[in-house]
Amino acid sequence: MRIVNWAFALGAVATIGTATVSYADNHANTLVVAKAADPQSLDPAQTMDNNDWTVTYPMYQRLVKYDVSPEGKGLTSVVGELATSWSSSADGLTWTFELGQNHKFSDGSTVD
């Protein structure tokens, strides 16, 4: 998937020189994201601000995630996403995650 990031609020139509470009008729497999600024990083391990996080967070599945109440309120309890269960060593330095079945990377290879 190709990601196009345009730094203008309206995002639907941009004027470039004398040409007007519409992004309403996207090509297949193209995601257009209108943001106030370009992300500094698309690496979730390096994402530091909310502008970047709003792009990177939905792009990746995580081993675990924060739970959400039925009303949509974010909670501090953790639930599995890719992981079905997890445990830590007695000293808390080693964590073991059991992964769910049939998870695939975007290239189709198995997450294991």
Side-chain angles (χ1 to χ4, degrees):
M1 175 188 334
R2 191 180 102 206
I3 297 175
V4 179
N5 182 12
W6 294 97
F8 51 86
L10 296 178
V13 177
T15 302
I16 302 173
T18 59
T20 299
V21 180
S22 171
Y23 291 98
D25 297 324
N26 288 325
H27 299 285
N29 298 321
T30 300
L31 172 65
V32 176
V33 179
K35 300 290 293 170
D38 288 337
Q40 300 302 306
S41 173
L42 293 179
D43 182 345
Q46 294 180 357
T47 300
M48 298 300 261
D49 63 35
N50 285 337
N51 182 61
D52 295 3
W53 193 246
T54 59
V55 175
T56 59
Y57 191 77
M59 289 174 49
Y60 299 94
Q61 285 185 286
R62 292 150 296 278
L63 289 171
V64 295
K65 63 182 181 178
Y66 287 113
D67 202 2
V68 177
S69 74
E71 299 81 29
K73 180 181 176 184
L75 304 173
T76 57
S77 54
V78 176
V79 296
E81 188 166 358
L82 290 175
T84 56
S85 64
W86 54 93
S87 61
S88 66
S89 61
D91 62 7
L93 297 178
T94 302
W95 286 79
T96 303
F97 293 87
E98 297 295 326
L99 300 179
Q101 300 296 312
N102 302 318
H103 292 294
K104 304 280 185 189
F105 287 103
S106 60
D107 69 357
S109 59
T110 302
V111 175
D112 56 13

